[in-house]
Amino acid sequence: MKVALFGQKTSTSLHDIVDPFLSFLESRKVDYCIEEQFRTILTNYTERDLSAIETFDSYESLDKSAKFMFTFGGDGTILNAITYIQQSGIPIVGVNTGRLGFLATINKNYFLDQLENIFRDEYKLVPRSLLTIHSDDPIDLEHNFALNEITVTRRETTSMITVDSWVNGEFLNSFWADGLIVSTPTGSTGYSLSCGGPIVHPSNENFIVTPIAPHNLNVRPLILDDHNVIDLKIKSRAEEYFLSLDSRNLALPTSVEITIKKADFYIYIVETNDPNYYKTLREKLLWGSDKRN
């Protein structure tokens, strides 16, 4: 058996979990590979010699036989991890050393206690849908998918842009705004939520279309079935606009029209101890919190 390890620079110390975790893997005769830059980071938290450990730096170099990918960080770390996993189906075990932890649900303080259950296959595997983007024009994108959202926003102008939109070829609306967010249910608690979008349970098969600071007060977010195909055309006083896929940004000419649809693969998140989504909402976002209660 083999597992993959990935993480990013974190303000939270990993001293108390790295050595016990690696010792656990070795005691179980579990091989492991480490993302190239993360191996350098880990040298700050262990005296082990990791120089001979297999590394990966892309989807192509990742061993697809890995049973899990353990990520150390927050939700942003998982968003970056999917660029390595892509359609391989390798489940993510998200160890939360960050602040929020909607996707990285395993607190680092309890991580070591969960390892036995994880390797005994006593966990819940939760599929998360993704968005993908296409265009008839060439787009210099290394990865054309997003777990949270795909966003178009204004660039090099203080003026709003107009985003003309179609659903399955039928005209939807012209959004006069700072931009437009097309989100998955996973991303509904992210950027979309901060722009007034609804909270959508991850098990739903939907897109959430949320305008960013729209000029018209009667424009509201819209929920669509994720079997739909969305086409967008941007008009702006500037010659370019920004396209964002999760945290990956790209400037495009306004002549480039884009098509958004559901990706043909899922990302799988390992959840232990039967975490409750609504409890996470209350604890992480203080949803429904009222001191009068």
Side-chain angles (χ1 to χ4, degrees):
M1 182 192 301
K2 177 183 283 188
V3 298
L5 313 183
F6 174 70
Q8 298 175 143
K9 185 176 180 181
T10 174
S11 59
T12 303
S13 174
L14 300 178
H15 279 105
D16 52 344
I17 61 173
V18 169
D19 275 323
F21 175 50
L22 297 182
S23 294
F24 176 90
L25 295 179
E26 292 163 2
S27 69
R28 293 298 189 92
K29 302 188 184 319
V30 176
D31 293 329
Y32 57 92
C33 55
I34 309 175
E35 191 271 334
E36 194 170 71
Q37 294 184 29
F38 188 50
R39 183 175 68 173
T40 302
I41 293 172
L42 286 182
T43 59
N44 298 316
Y45 300 109
T46 180
E47 295 182 356
R48 292 169 183 262
D49 182 7
L50 301 176
S51 60
I53 299 298
E54 176 188 347
T55 62
F56 61 93
D57 61 1
S58 66
Y59 169 76
E60 288 73 21
S61 61
L62 173 65
D63 189 337
K64 310 305 186 300
S65 69
K67 182 176 177 63
F68 302 110
M69 177 180 282
F70 288 85
T71 66
F72 298 84
D75 292 349
T77 303
I78 290 182
L79 294 180
N80 286 328
I82 69 172
T83 63
Y84 297 96
I85 292 174
Q86 299 188 32
Q87 63 266 34
S88 66
I90 299 173
I92 296 174
V93 181
V95 183
N96 181 26
T97 64
R99 292 174 296 178
L100 193 58
F102 253 85
L103 294 172
T105 57
I106 302 177
N107 188 291
K108 85 170 194 116
N109 296 325
Y110 307 105
F111 166 58
L112 298 174
D113 297 332
Q114 298 295 328
L115 283 175
E116 288 286 353
N117 291 337
I118 292 171
F119 281 90
R120 284 200 299 259
D121 293 332
E122 296 176 2
Y123 56 82
K124 183 179 179 182
L125 203 57
V126 180
R128 299 289 182 123
S129 62
L130 296 92
L131 299 165
T132 186
I133 187 171
H134 300 278
S135 177
D136 291 335
D137 299 290
I139 299 180
D140 186 20
L141 274 178
E142 183 178 4
H143 308 293
N144 71 333
F145 52 82
L147 178 60
N148 268 357
E149 70 275 316
I150 293 176
T151 304
V152 294
T153 54
R154 63 185 184 180
R155 182 173 192 252
E156 294 182 348
T157 178
T158 57
S159 301
M160 288 177 284
I161 60 176
T162 301
V163 184
D164 293 335
S165 57
W166 292 262
V167 177
N168 298 330
E170 181 179 347
F171 182 68
L172 173 63
N173 194 22
S174 292
F175 295 94
W176 189 19
D178 284 352
L180 190 71
I181 303 166
V182 179
S183 165
T184 64
T186 296
S188 71
T189 51
Y191 193 10
S192 175
L193 181 65
S194 70
C195 292
I199 296 173
V200 179
H201 193 281
S203 64
N204 285 280
E205 298 180 344
N206 299 121
F207 296 145
I208 302 96
V209 180
T210 307
I212 304 170
H215 186 265
N216 298 330
L217 295 176
N218 57 355
V219 174
R220 293 291 181 265
L222 176 68
I223 297 177
L224 298 170
D225 187 291
D226 67 9
H227 292 90
N228 289 299
V229 176
I230 300 173
D231 294 300
L232 301 179
K233 180 178 181 180
I234 287 75
K235 300 173 184 175
S236 172
R237 292 184 180 180
E239 295 182 353
E240 293 183 324
Y241 65 95
F242 266 130
L243 171 68
S244 176
L245 290 83
D246 290 337
S247 58
R248 306 183 302 278
N249 299 311
L250 178 68
L252 292 176
T254 52
S255 59
V256 174
E257 302 178 20
I258 59 175
T259 298
I260 299 171
K261 61 182 180 179
K262 183 179 181 179
D264 59 2
F265 64 95
Y266 289 84
I267 291 296
Y268 297 92
I269 306 293
V270 170
E271 292 186 352
T272 60
N273 285 343
D274 194 25
N276 183 290
Y277 179 75
Y278 307 111
K279 181 180 179 182
T280 302
L281 284 179
R282 294 192 302 271
E283 292 183 349
K284 302 292 186 178
L285 289 184
L286 303 181
W287 178 74
S289 177
D290 190 328
K291 64 181 180 181
R292 295 173 297 179
N293 294 333

